[in-house]
Amino acid sequence: GIGAAAGTFYGACVAAWYPDPVTTTQKFGGTLGKSDFRAVGRTIARPAMWFSLAAGTFTATECVMEMIRNETQDAWNSLVAGGGGGGGGGGG
């Protein structure tokens, strides 16, 4: 969802403004000074994974808090979920 989109955007910005070519160490060949497609993909996918994990942890924690406290709209549920999403899911 939103976490994956935000992470993909962030990773694309990091890859675009990184001063050196994004490469990996290869055993055989590889062009020096050119970005490797797989390395760029990893540079973009890694933040997308972490943002998605943080968003998923937030959502799951908020749903569990609403279930436990039998309240649908409460600021405390969001506060606890934000701590869980930021500390557990996004702290990586």
Side-chain angles (χ1 to χ4, degrees):
I2 273 253
T8 301
F9 176 74
Y10 176 78
C13 289
V14 167
W17 277 285
Y18 193 71
D20 299 325
V22 181
T23 59
T24 59
T25 56
Q26 297 178 351
K27 282 187 174 182
F28 304 106
T31 306
L32 294 175
K34 291 190 80 175
S35 292
D36 181 19
F37 182 73
R38 289 175 54 190
V40 171
R42 266 192 304 276
T43 301
I44 293 172
R46 189 170 290 136
M49 177 194 67
W50 285 112
F51 276 59
S52 297
L53 180 65
T57 304
F58 175 86
T59 304
T61 305
E62 189 172 25
C63 288
V64 168
M65 287 296 295
E66 288 175 359
M67 183 181 66
I68 289 172
R69 300 182 68 227
N70 291 327
E71 295 180 26
T72 55
Q73 298 292 325
D74 190 10
W76 289 104
N77 296 339
S78 297
L79 179 76
V80 172

Coordinates of all heavy atoms in Angstrom, one line a residue:
G1 N 0.8 -1.2 0.0 CA 0.0 0.0 0.0 C 0.9 1.3 0.0 O 1.8 1.4 -0.8
I2 N 0.5 2.1 0.9 CA 1.1 3.4 1.0 C 2.6 3.3 1.5 O 3.4 4.0 1.0 CB 0.3 4.3 2.0 CG1 -0.8 5.0 1.3 CG2 1.2 5.2 2.9 CD1 -0.7 6.4 1.0
G3 N 2.9 2.4 2.3 CA 4.3 2.2 2.8 C 5.2 1.8 1.7 O 6.3 2.3 1.5
A4 N 4.7 0.9 0.8 CA 5.5 0.4 -0.3 C 5.7 1.6 -1.3 O 6.8 1.7 -1.9 CB 4.8 -0.8 -1.0
A5 N 4.7 2.3 -1.5 CA 4.8 3.5 -2.5 C 5.8 4.5 -1.9 O 6.7 5.0 -2.7 CB 3.5 4.1 -2.7
A6 N 5.7 4.8 -0.7 CA 6.6 5.8 0.0 C 8.0 5.3 0.0 O 9.0 6.0 -0.3 CB 6.1 6.1 1.4
G7 N 8.2 4.0 0.3 CA 9.5 3.4 0.3 C 10.2 3.4 -1.1 O 11.4 3.6 -1.3
T8 N 9.3 3.1 -2.1 CA 9.8 3.0 -3.5 C 10.3 4.4 -3.9 O 11.3 4.6 -4.6 CB 8.8 2.5 -4.4 OG1 8.4 1.2 -4.0 CG2 9.3 2.4 -5.9
F9 N 9.5 5.4 -3.6 CA 9.8 6.8 -3.9 C 11.1 7.2 -3.2 O 12.0 7.8 -3.9 CB 8.7 7.8 -3.5 CG 9.0 9.2 -3.8 CD1 9.0 9.7 -5.0 CD2 9.3 10.0 -2.7 CE1 9.3 11.1 -5.3 CE2 9.6 11.4 -2.9 CZ 9.6 11.9 -4.2
Y10 N 11.2 6.9 -2.0 CA 12.5 7.2 -1.2 C 13.7 6.5 -1.8 O 14.7 7.1 -2.0 CB 12.3 6.8 0.3 CG 13.5 7.1 1.1 CD1 13.9 8.3 1.5 CD2 14.4 6.0 1.4 CE1 15.0 8.5 2.2 CE2 15.5 6.2 2.1 CZ 15.8 7.5 2.5 OH 17.0 7.7 3.3
G11 N 13.5 5.2 -2.1 CA 14.6 4.5 -2.7 C 15.0 5.0 -4.1 O 16.2 5.1 -4.4
A12 N 14.0 5.4 -4.9 CA 14.3 6.0 -6.2 C 15.1 7.3 -6.0 O 16.0 7.6 -6.8 CB 13.1 6.2 -7.0
C13 N 14.7 8.1 -5.1 CA 15.4 9.4 -4.8 C 16.8 9.1 -4.4 O 17.8 9.8 -4.8 CB 14.7 10.2 -3.8 SG 13.1 10.9 -4.4
V14 N 17.0 8.2 -3.5 CA 18.4 7.8 -3.0 C 19.2 7.4 -4.2 O 20.4 7.8 -4.4 CB 18.3 6.7 -1.9 CG1 19.7 6.1 -1.7 CG2 17.8 7.3 -0.7
A15 N 18.7 6.5 -5.1 CA 19.4 6.0 -6.2 C 19.7 7.1 -7.2 O 20.8 7.1 -7.8 CB 18.7 4.9 -6.9
A16 N 18.8 8.0 -7.4 CA 19.0 9.1 -8.4 C 20.0 10.1 -7.9 O 20.8 10.6 -8.7 CB 17.7 9.8 -8.6
W17 N 20.1 10.4 -6.6 CA 21.0 11.4 -6.2 C 22.3 10.9 -5.6 O 23.1 11.6 -5.0 CB 20.3 12.3 -5.1 CG 19.5 13.4 -5.8 CD1 20.0 14.5 -6.4 CD2 18.1 13.5 -6.0 NE1 19.0 15.2 -7.0 CE2 17.8 14.6 -6.7 CE3 17.1 12.6 -5.6 CZ2 16.5 15.0 -7.1 CZ3 15.8 13.0 -5.9 CH2 15.5 14.1 -6.7
Y18 N 22.5 9.6 -5.6 CA 23.7 9.0 -5.2 C 24.8 9.4 -6.1 O 24.7 9.2 -7.3 CB 23.6 7.5 -5.1 CG 24.7 6.8 -4.3 CD1 24.7 6.9 -3.0 CD2 25.6 6.0 -5.0 CE1 25.8 6.3 -2.3 CE2 26.6 5.4 -4.3 CZ 26.7 5.5 -2.9 OH 27.7 4.9 -2.2
P19 N 26.0 9.9 -5.6 CA 27.0 10.5 -6.5 C 27.7 9.5 -7.4 O 28.2 9.8 -8.5 CB 27.9 11.2 -5.6 CG 27.7 10.6 -4.3 CD 26.3 10.1 -4.2
D20 N 27.8 8.3 -6.9 CA 28.6 7.2 -7.6 C 27.6 6.2 -8.2 O 26.5 6.1 -7.8 CB 29.5 6.5 -6.6 CG 30.5 7.4 -6.0 OD1 31.0 8.3 -6.7 OD2 30.9 7.2 -4.8
P21 N 28.1 5.5 -9.3 CA 27.2 4.5 -9.8 C 26.9 3.4 -8.8 O 27.7 3.0 -8.0 CB 28.0 3.9 -11.0 CG 29.1 4.9 -11.2 CD 29.3 5.6 -10.0
V22 N 25.7 2.9 -8.8 CA 25.3 1.8 -7.9 C 25.6 0.5 -8.5 O 25.0 0.1 -9.5 CB 23.7 1.9 -7.6 CG1 23.3 0.8 -6.7 CG2 23.4 3.3 -7.1
T23 N 26.7 -0.2 -7.9 CA 27.1 -1.4 -8.5 C 27.3 -2.4 -7.4 O 27.2 -2.1 -6.2 CB 28.5 -1.2 -9.2 OG1 29.4 -0.7 -8.2 CG2 28.4 -0.3 -10.3
T24 N 27.5 -3.7 -7.8 CA 27.8 -4.8 -6.9 C 29.1 -5.4 -7.3 O 29.6 -5.1 -8.4 CB 26.7 -5.9 -7.0 OG1 26.6 -6.4 -8.3 CG2 25.4 -5.4 -6.5
T25 N 29.7 -6.1 -6.4 CA 30.9 -6.8 -6.8 C 30.6 -8.1 -7.5 O 29.9 -8.9 -7.0 CB 31.7 -7.1 -5.5 OG1 30.9 -7.9 -4.6 CG2 32.1 -5.9 -4.8
Q26 N 31.1 -8.2 -8.7 CA 30.8 -9.4 -9.6 C 32.1 -10.1 -9.7 O 33.1 -9.6 -9.8 CB 30.2 -8.9 -10.9 CG 28.9 -8.2 -10.8 CD 28.5 -7.8 -12.2 OE1 29.2 -7.9 -13.2 NE2 27.2 -7.3 -12.3
K27 N 31.9 -11.5 -9.9 CA 33.1 -12.3 -10.1 C 33.6 -12.1 -11.5 O 34.8 -12.0 -11.7 CB 32.7 -13.8 -9.9 CG 32.6 -14.2 -8.5 CD 32.4 -15.7 -8.4 CE 32.4 -16.2 -7.0 NZ 32.2 -17.6 -6.9
F28 N 32.7 -12.1 -12.5 CA 33.2 -12.0 -13.9 C 32.6 -10.8 -14.5 O 31.4 -10.6 -14.6 CB 32.7 -13.3 -14.6 CG 33.1 -14.6 -14.0 CD1 32.3 -15.3 -13.3 CD2 34.5 -15.0 -14.1 CE1 32.7 -16.5 -12.7 CE2 34.9 -16.1 -13.5 CZ 34.0 -16.9 -12.8
G29 N 33.5 -10.0 -15.0 CA 33.1 -8.9 -15.9 C 32.4 -7.8 -15.1 O 32.7 -7.5 -14.0
G30 N 31.4 -7.2 -15.8 CA 30.8 -6.0 -15.3 C 31.4 -4.8 -15.8 O 32.7 -4.7 -15.9
T31 N 30.7 -3.8 -16.1 CA 31.2 -2.5 -16.7 C 31.5 -1.6 -15.5 O 30.6 -1.3 -14.8 CB 30.2 -1.9 -17.7 OG1 29.9 -2.9 -18.6 CG2 30.8 -0.7 -18.3
L32 N 32.7 -1.1 -15.5 CA 33.1 -0.1 -14.4 C 32.5 1.2 -14.8 O 32.5 1.6 -15.9 CB 34.6 0.0 -14.3 CG 35.3 -1.3 -13.8 CD1 36.8 -1.0 -13.8 CD2 34.8 -1.6 -12.4
G33 N 31.9 1.9 -13.8 CA 31.4 3.2 -14.0 C 30.0 3.2 -14.4 O 29.4 4.3 -14.6
K34 N 29.3 2.1 -14.6 CA 27.9 2.0 -14.9 C 27.1 1.3 -13.8 O 27.6 0.4 -13.2 CB 27.7 1.2 -16.2 CG 28.3 2.0 -17.4 CD 27.9 1.3 -18.7 CE 26.5 1.7 -19.0 NZ 26.0 1.2 -20.3
S35 N 25.9 1.8 -13.6 CA 25.1 1.2 -12.6 C 24.6 -0.2 -13.0 O 24.3 -0.4 -14.2 CB 23.8 2.1 -12.3 OG 24.2 3.3 -11.7
D36 N 24.6 -1.1 -12.1 CA 24.1 -2.4 -12.3 C 22.6 -2.5 -12.0 O 22.1 -2.0 -11.0 CB 24.8 -3.4 -11.3 CG 24.4 -4.8 -11.4 OD1 23.9 -5.2 -12.5 OD2 24.7 -5.6 -10.5
F37 N 21.8 -3.1 -12.9 CA 20.3 -3.0 -12.7 C 19.9 -3.7 -11.5 O 19.0 -3.2 -10.8 CB 19.7 -3.7 -14.0 CG 18.2 -3.7 -13.9 CD1 17.5 -2.6 -14.2 CD2 17.5 -4.9 -13.7 CE1 16.1 -2.5 -14.1 CE2 16.1 -4.9 -13.6 CZ 15.4 -3.7 -13.9
R38 N 20.5 -4.8 -11.1 CA 20.1 -5.6 -9.9 C 20.4 -4.7 -8.6 O 19.7 -4.7 -7.7 CB 20.8 -6.9 -9.8 CG 20.2 -7.9 -10.9 CD 20.9 -9.2 -10.9 NE 21.0 -9.8 -9.6 CZ 21.7 -10.9 -9.3 NH1 22.5 -11.4 -10.2 NH2 21.7 -11.4 -8.1
A39 N 21.6 -4.0 -8.6 CA 21.9 -3.2 -7.5 C 21.0 -2.0 -7.3 O 20.6 -1.7 -6.2 CB 23.4 -2.8 -7.6
V40 N 20.6 -1.4 -8.4 CA 19.6 -0.3 -8.4 C 18.3 -0.8 -7.9 O 17.6 -0.2 -7.1 CB 19.5 0.3 -9.8 CG1 18.4 1.3 -9.8 CG2 20.8 1.0 -10.2
G41 N 17.9 -2.0 -8.3 CA 16.7 -2.6 -7.8 C 16.7 -2.9 -6.3 O 15.7 -2.6 -5.6
R42 N 17.8 -3.3 -5.8 CA 17.9 -3.5 -4.4 C 17.9 -2.2 -3.7 O 17.4 -2.1 -2.6 CB 19.2 -4.3 -4.1 CG 19.0 -5.8 -4.0 CD 20.2 -6.5 -3.4 NE 21.5 -6.2 -4.1 CZ 21.9 -6.9 -5.2 NH1 21.1 -7.8 -5.7 NH2 23.0 -6.6 -5.8
T43 N 18.6 -1.2 -4.2 CA 18.6 0.1 -3.6 C 17.2 0.7 -3.5 O 16.9 1.4 -2.5 CB 19.5 1.1 -4.4 OG1 20.8 0.5 -4.5 CG2 19.6 2.4 -3.8
I44 N 16.4 0.4 -4.4 CA 15.0 0.9 -4.4 C 14.1 0.0 -3.6 O 13.2 0.5 -2.8 CB 14.4 1.0 -5.8 CG1 15.2 2.1 -6.6 CG2 12.9 1.3 -5.9 CD1 14.9 2.3 -8.0
A45 N 14.3 -1.3 -3.6 CA 13.4 -2.3 -2.9 C 13.6 -2.3 -1.4 O 12.7 -2.5 -0.7 CB 13.6 -3.6 -3.5
R46 N 14.8 -2.1 -1.0 CA 15.1 -2.2 0.5 C 14.3 -1.2 1.3 O 13.6 -1.6 2.3 CB 16.6 -2.1 0.7 CG 17.0 -2.4 2.2 CD 18.4 -2.6 2.3 NE 18.9 -3.8 1.7 CZ 20.0 -3.9 0.9 NH1 20.7 -2.8 0.7 NH2 20.3 -5.0 0.4
P47 N 14.3 0.1 0.9 CA 13.5 1.1 1.7 C 12.0 0.8 1.6 O 11.2 1.0 2.5 CB 13.8 2.4 1.1 CG 15.1 2.3 0.4 CD 15.2 0.8 0.0
A48 N 11.6 0.3 0.4 CA 10.1 -0.1 0.2 C 9.7 -1.2 1.2 O 8.7 -1.1 1.8 CB 9.9 -0.5 -1.2
M49 N 10.6 -2.1 1.4 CA 10.3 -3.2 2.3 C 10.2 -2.7 3.8 O 9.3 -3.0 4.5 CB 11.4 -4.3 2.3 CG 11.2 -5.4 3.3 SD 12.7 -6.4 3.5 CE 13.8 -5.3 4.2
W50 N 11.2 -1.8 4.2 CA 11.1 -1.3 5.5 C 9.9 -0.4 5.8 O 9.3 -0.4 6.9 CB 12.4 -0.5 5.9 CG 13.6 -1.5 6.1 CD1 14.7 -1.7 5.3 CD2 13.7 -2.4 7.2 NE1 15.5 -2.6 5.8 CE2 14.9 -3.1 7.0 CE3 12.9 -2.8 8.3 CZ2 15.4 -4.1 7.8 CZ3 13.4 -3.8 9.1 CH2 14.6 -4.4 8.9
F51 N 9.6 0.5 4.8 CA 8.4 1.3 4.9 C 7.2 0.5 5.0 O 6.3 0.8 5.8 CB 8.3 2.3 3.8 CG 9.1 3.5 3.9 CD1 10.5 3.5 4.0 CD2 8.5 4.8 3.8 CE1 11.3 4.6 4.1 CE2 9.3 5.9 3.9 CZ 10.7 5.9 4.1
S52 N 7.1 -0.6 4.2 CA 5.9 -1.5 4.3 C 5.8 -2.2 5.6 O 4.7 -2.4 6.1 CB 6.0 -2.5 3.1 OG 5.9 -1.9 1.9
L53 N 6.9 -2.6 6.1 CA 7.0 -3.3 7.4 C 6.5 -2.3 8.5 O 5.7 -2.7 9.4 CB 8.4 -3.8 7.7 CG 8.5 -4.5 9.1 CD1 7.7 -5.8 9.1 CD2 10.0 -4.8 9.3
A54 N 6.9 -1.1 8.5 CA 6.5 -0.1 9.5 C 5.0 0.2 9.4 O 4.3 0.2 10.4 CB 7.3 1.2 9.4
A55 N 4.5 0.3 8.2 CA 3.1 0.6 8.0 C 2.2 -0.6 8.4 O 1.2 -0.4 9.0 CB 2.8 1.0 6.5
G56 N 2.7 -1.8 8.0 CA 2.0 -3.0 8.4 C 1.9 -3.2 9.9 O 0.9 -3.6 10.5
T57 N 3.1 -2.9 10.6 CA 3.1 -3.1 12.1 C 2.2 -2.0 12.7 O 1.5 -2.3 13.7 CB 4.6 -2.9 12.5 OG1 5.4 -3.8 11.9 CG2 4.7 -3.1 14.0
F58 N 2.2 -0.8 12.2 CA 1.3 0.2 12.7 C -0.2 -0.2 12.6 O -0.9 -0.1 13.6 CB 1.5 1.6 12.0 CG 0.5 2.6 12.4 CD1 0.8 3.4 13.5 CD2 -0.6 2.8 11.7 CE1 -0.1 4.4 13.9 CE2 -1.5 3.8 12.0 CZ -1.3 4.6 13.1
T59 N -0.5 -0.7 11.4 CA -1.9 -1.1 11.2 C -2.3 -2.3 12.0 O -3.4 -2.2 12.6 CB -2.1 -1.4 9.7 OG1 -1.7 -0.3 8.9 CG2 -3.5 -1.8 9.4
A60 N -1.5 -3.3 12.1 CA -1.8 -4.4 12.9 C -1.9 -4.1 14.4 O -2.8 -4.5 15.1 CB -0.8 -5.5 12.7
T61 N -1.0 -3.3 14.9 CA -1.0 -2.9 16.3 C -2.3 -2.0 16.6 O -2.9 -2.2 17.7 CB 0.2 -2.1 16.7 OG1 1.4 -2.8 16.3 CG2 0.3 -1.7 18.2
E62 N -2.6 -1.1 15.7 CA -3.8 -0.3 15.9 C -5.1 -1.2 15.9 O -6.0 -1.0 16.8 CB -4.0 0.8 14.9 CG -5.1 1.8 15.2 CD -5.1 3.0 14.3 OE1 -4.6 2.9 13.2 OE2 -5.6 4.0 14.7
C63 N -5.2 -2.2 15.1 CA -6.3 -3.1 15.0 C -6.4 -3.9 16.3 O -7.5 -4.1 16.9 CB -6.3 -4.0 13.8 SG -6.6 -3.1 12.3
V64 N -5.3 -4.4 16.8 CA -5.3 -5.2 18.0 C -5.7 -4.3 19.2 O -6.4 -4.8 20.1 CB -3.9 -5.8 18.2 CG1 -3.7 -6.4 19.6 CG2 -3.6 -6.9 17.2
M65 N -5.2 -3.1 19.3 CA -5.5 -2.2 20.3 C -7.0 -1.9 20.3 O -7.7 -1.8 21.4 CB -4.8 -0.9 20.2 CG -3.3 -1.0 20.6 SD -3.1 -1.5 22.4 CE -3.7 0.0 23.2
E66 N -7.6 -1.7 19.2 CA -9.1 -1.5 19.1 C -9.8 -2.7 19.5 O -10.9 -2.6 20.2 CB -9.4 -1.1 17.6 CG -9.0 0.3 17.3 CD -9.3 0.7 15.8 OE1 -9.8 -0.2 15.1 OE2 -8.9 1.8 15.4
M67 N -9.3 -3.9 19.2 CA -10.0 -5.1 19.6 C -9.9 -5.3 21.1 O -10.9 -5.6 21.7 CB -9.4 -6.3 18.8 CG -10.1 -7.6 19.1 SD -9.3 -9.0 18.3 CE -7.7 -9.0 19.1
I68 N -8.8 -5.0 21.7 CA -8.6 -5.3 23.1 C -9.4 -4.2 23.9 O -10.1 -4.6 24.9 CB -7.1 -5.2 23.5 CG1 -6.4 -6.4 22.9 CG2 -6.9 -5.1 25.0 CD1 -4.9 -6.3 23.1
R69 N -9.4 -3.0 23.5 CA -10.0 -1.9 24.3 C -11.5 -1.7 23.9 O -12.2 -0.8 24.5 CB -9.2 -0.6 24.1 CG -7.8 -0.8 24.6 CD -7.0 0.5 24.5 NE -7.5 1.4 25.5 CZ -7.8 2.7 25.2 NH1 -7.6 3.2 23.9 NH2 -8.2 3.5 26.1
N70 N -12.0 -2.4 22.9 CA -13.4 -2.2 22.4 C -13.8 -0.8 22.1 O -14.9 -0.3 22.3 CB -14.4 -2.8 23.4 CG -14.3 -4.3 23.6 OD1 -14.0 -4.9 22.6 ND2 -14.5 -4.8 24.8
E71 N -12.8 0.0 21.5 CA -13.1 1.3 21.1 C -12.6 1.4 19.6 O -11.6 0.9 19.2 CB -12.3 2.3 21.9 CG -12.7 2.3 23.4 CD -11.9 3.3 24.2 OE1 -11.4 4.3 23.6 OE2 -11.7 3.1 25.4
T72 N -13.4 2.1 18.8 CA -13.0 2.2 17.4 C -12.2 3.4 17.1 O -11.2 3.3 16.4 CB -14.3 2.3 16.5 OG1 -15.1 3.4 17.0 CG2 -15.1 1.0 16.6
Q73 N -12.4 4.6 17.7 CA -11.7 5.8 17.4 C -11.1 6.4 18.7 O -11.9 7.0 19.5 CB -12.5 6.9 16.7 CG -13.1 6.4 15.4 CD -12.0 6.3 14.3 OE1 -11.0 7.0 14.3 NE2 -12.2 5.3 13.4
D74 N -9.9 6.1 18.9 CA -9.2 6.6 20.1 C -7.8 7.0 19.9 O -7.1 6.3 19.1 CB -9.3 5.6 21.2 CG -8.9 6.1 22.6 OD1 -8.8 7.3 22.8 OD2 -8.7 5.2 23.5
A75 N -7.3 8.1 20.4 CA -6.0 8.6 20.2 C -4.9 7.6 20.8 O -3.8 7.5 20.3 CB -5.8 10.0 20.7
W76 N -5.3 7.0 21.9 CA -4.3 6.1 22.6 C -4.0 4.9 21.7 O -2.9 4.4 21.7 CB -4.9 5.6 23.9 CG -4.9 6.7 24.9 CD1 -6.0 7.4 25.3 CD2 -3.8 7.2 25.6 NE1 -5.6 8.4 26.2 CE2 -4.2 8.3 26.4 CE3 -2.4 7.0 25.5 CZ2 -3.4 9.0 27.2 CZ3 -1.6 7.7 26.3 CH2 -2.0 8.7 27.1
N77 N -5.0 4.4 20.9 CA -4.7 3.3 20.0 C -3.6 3.7 19.0 O -2.7 3.0 18.7 CB -6.0 2.9 19.3 CG -7.0 2.3 20.2 OD1 -6.7 1.9 21.3 ND2 -8.3 2.3 19.8
S78 N -3.8 4.9 18.4 CA -2.8 5.4 17.4 C -1.5 5.7 18.1 O -0.4 5.4 17.4 CB -3.4 6.7 16.8 OG -4.6 6.4 16.1
L79 N -1.5 6.1 19.3 CA -0.2 6.4 20.0 C 0.6 5.1 20.2 O 1.8 5.1 19.9 CB -0.5 7.1 21.3 CG 0.7 7.4 22.2 CD1 1.4 8.6 21.6 CD2 0.4 7.6 23.6
V80 N -0.1 4.1 20.7 CA 0.6 2.8 20.9 C 1.0 2.2 19.6 O 2.1 1.7 19.4 CB -0.3 1.8 21.7 CG1 0.3 0.4 21.7 CG2 -0.6 2.4 23.1
A81 N 0.2 2.3 18.5 CA 0.5 1.8 17.2 C 1.7 2.5 16.6 O 2.5 1.9 15.9 CB -0.7 1.8 16.3
G82 N 1.7 3.8 16.8 CA 2.9 4.6 16.3 C 4.2 4.2 17.0 O 5.2 4.1 16.3
G83 N 4.1 3.9 18.3 CA 5.3 3.4 18.9 C 5.7 2.0 18.4 O 6.9 1.7 18.3
G84 N 4.7 1.2 18.2 CA 5.0 -0.2 17.6 C 5.6 -0.1 16.2 O 6.5 -0.8 15.9
G85 N 5.0 0.7 15.4 CA 5.4 0.8 14.0 C 6.8 1.5 13.9 O 7.6 1.1 13.1
G86 N 7.0 2.5 14.7 CA 8.3 3.2 14.6 C 9.4 2.5 15.3 O 10.5 2.4 14.8
G87 N 9.1 1.9 16.4 CA 10.1 1.2 17.2 C 10.4 -0.3 16.7 O 11.5 -0.7 16.6
G88 N 9.3 -1.0 16.4 CA 9.4 -2.4 16.0 C 9.6 -2.6 14.5 O 10.5 -3.2 14.0
G89 N 8.7 -2.0 13.7 CA 8.7 -2.2 12.3 C 9.7 -1.3 11.5 O 10.4 -1.7 10.6
G90 N 9.8 0.0 11.9 CA 10.6 0.9 11.2 C 12.0 1.2 11.8 O 12.7 2.0 11.2
G91 N 12.2 0.6 12.9 CA 13.5 0.9 13.6 C 14.7 0.2 13.0 O 15.8 0.4 13.3
G92 N 14.4 -0.7 12.0 CA 15.4 -1.6 11.4 C 16.7 -1.0 11.0 O 17.7 -1.4 10.9

